[in-house]
Amino acid sequence: MSQDEPAFDVILPRPRGFCAGVERAVQIVELALEQLHPPIYVRREIVHNRAVVERFRARGVVFVDSLDEVPAQAVCVFSAHGVAPDVRAAADARGLQVIDATCPLVTKVHVEVLRHARAGDTILLIGHEGHDEVIGTMGHARDQVRLVGDVHAALTVEVPDPQRVAYVTQTTLSVDETAGIVRALRGRFPAIEGPKTADICYATQNRQDAVKALVLEEGIELLLVVGSENSSNSQRLVEVAQSLGARGQLVDAASDVDPAWLRGVRRVGLTAGASAPEDLVQGVAARLAALGGRLSERELIPEDVTFPLPPQLAPARNRSGG
Ligand code: SF4
């Protein structure tokens, strides 16, 4: 490979990386560190990204799995994935100062679950068992929510009254991913109620649509997705590329890039899951450039969403000119 002639093109799509909910959650912890005294406790990973978690840990943030690990009266941030009401109650009982970084779109799902539960509906939650968001959402109406993980579950789930059924979805699943399950549910329960389109998270779908455009319109052969193993939306981006015939690789950081992947490849896409920070993307881009890649960006889908900060942090930030 000649030094002055790039061996391959690297195309970075927009949108990529942080969604508005993750941006807000990360800002909340930043502001808590600035305005309150460490240690700041965060229940579960604030977002599913190793680098984000490690950087905060180095600055005095303590990540815990359970509120039992948080001293009474301490500051505790709830992650972007949301929590069940019993977690809030336990935090109140311990006198914790709670700062809630639950994404407003996740809160909308919680509100829908409560509304249907009060109406006496059985709520079918389309999502992955064990995901933090799913645990929090199920906790809003444990007796009435049933988890539906795939089409088989949709075809076999039992409900007490087929006329009183609703469904909601884990936000990190795109409309495309849930389409088969929703079709199966509608086939069995014609009266089922679903969320309004406006309630569905824009970010996952946009990032997946951008990957589709990279493969189908830009002709990329290899897609690198910056994201951690436990980030389900990052994994999905890899799968979307693979389903369209491109190769896909998840990378946590620049050091994960194996030059062997690039052999014989002319066009590479570089994107990031909704929980991966842009500086990691730029690190991977720099490594690809060093390996002979010619970088360019494409605006593939317009996206301009932001969410307000919680009131206990926002005013102080405004005072400091942030
Ligand atoms: Fe919120 Fe969507 Fe981001 Fe999840 S993916 S944190 S629902 S904006």
Side-chain angles (χ1 to χ4, degrees):
M1 166 191 324
S2 138
Q3 284 298 314
D4 49 3
E5 190 186 349
F8 54 92
D9 288 307
V10 181
I11 303 163
L12 292 93
R14 280 201 307 267
R16 62 173 181 268
F18 275 12
C19 58
V22 165
E23 184 79 50
R24 174 177 178 271
V26 167
Q27 253 187 354
I28 284 172
V29 180
E30 287 281 355
L31 291 171
L33 279 169
E34 274 172 30
Q35 295 172 20
L36 309 166
H37 295 296
I40 304 290
Y41 291 82
V42 176
R43 184 184 175 279
R44 310 284 178 121
E45 293 190 345
I46 183 71
V47 298
H48 285 156
N49 185 270
R50 200 176 65 187
V52 170
V53 168
E54 280 171 6
R55 287 172 192 172
F56 278 136
R57 199 173 269 142
R59 293 169 61 195
V61 173
V62 180
F63 290 90
V64 296
D65 278 333
S66 149
L67 292 186
D68 301 340
E69 301 164 60
V70 183
Q73 318 295 329
V75 174
C76 184
V77 180
F78 290 159
S79 79
H81 308 102
V83 299
D86 56 1
V87 174
R88 284 181 200 282
D92 287 348
R94 307 277 312 280
L96 303 182
Q97 298 177 57
V98 168
I99 304 173
D100 190 357
T102 303
C103 175
L105 296 182
V106 175
T107 302
K108 269 191 170 185
V109 176
H110 294 171
V111 170
E112 277 297 284
V113 166
L114 288 172
R115 184 173 73 78
H116 285 296
R118 284 192 198 109
D121 299 340
T122 300
I123 302 126
L124 304 177
L125 168 58
I126 301 173
H128 297 307
E129 188 166 13
H131 190 280
D132 284 340
E133 183 187 321
V134 165
I135 294 168
T137 300
M138 290 189 83
H140 280 73
R142 279 185 217 292
D143 296 340
Q144 283 164 264
V145 179
R146 311 264 189 286
L147 184 62
V148 174
D150 54 24
V151 172
H152 175 74
L155 293 172
T156 52
V157 66
E158 299 287 342
V159 301
D161 181 353
Q163 296 304 314
R164 299 242 45 121
V165 188
Y167 76 88
V168 295
T169 65
Q170 180 182 329
T171 58
T172 42
L173 300 180
S174 68
V175 177
D176 294 352
E177 286 166 79
T178 57
I181 298 176
V182 171
R183 233 185 344 266
L185 292 176
R186 286 200 188 285
R188 284 190 68 204
F189 310 115
I192 195 167
E193 268 191 59
K196 291 186 225 84
T197 318
D199 288 352
I200 294 169
C201 172
Y202 68 96
T204 307
Q205 188 71 46
N206 283 358
R207 278 149 192 71
Q208 291 187 9
D209 287 347
V211 165
K212 283 185 207 159
L214 277 181
V215 180
L216 299 176
E217 291 160 29
E218 302 289 340
I220 62 142
E221 303 149 81
L222 168 68
L223 179 75
L224 299 184
V225 178
V226 182
S228 293
E229 283 284 335
N230 62 345
S231 162
S232 69
N233 74 86
S234 305
Q235 299 271 17
R236 286 290 103 65
L237 295 176
V238 171
E239 289 166 17
V240 168
Q242 288 169 339
S243 72
L244 297 171
R247 279 194 289 135
Q249 284 286 343
L250 195 63
V251 290
D252 242 316
S255 55
D256 290 347
V257 175
D258 181 348
W261 297 340
L262 303 163
R263 240 173 253 141
V265 173
R266 307 301 303 175
R267 289 175 83 71
V268 178
L270 173 58
T271 189
S275 46
E278 179 62 16
D279 64 282
L280 293 182
V281 179
Q282 291 305 324
V284 175
R287 176 146 163 79
L288 291 172
L291 291 167
R294 181 174 54 201
L295 308 179
S296 61
E297 276 207 316
R298 298 275 194 289
E299 165 114 38
L300 296 174
I301 294 156
E303 185 178 290
D304 181 20
V305 179
T306 55
F307 296 131
L309 291 164
Q312 71 258 57
L313 292 171
R317 185 161 203 268
N318 291 340
R319 275 201 303 278
S320 69

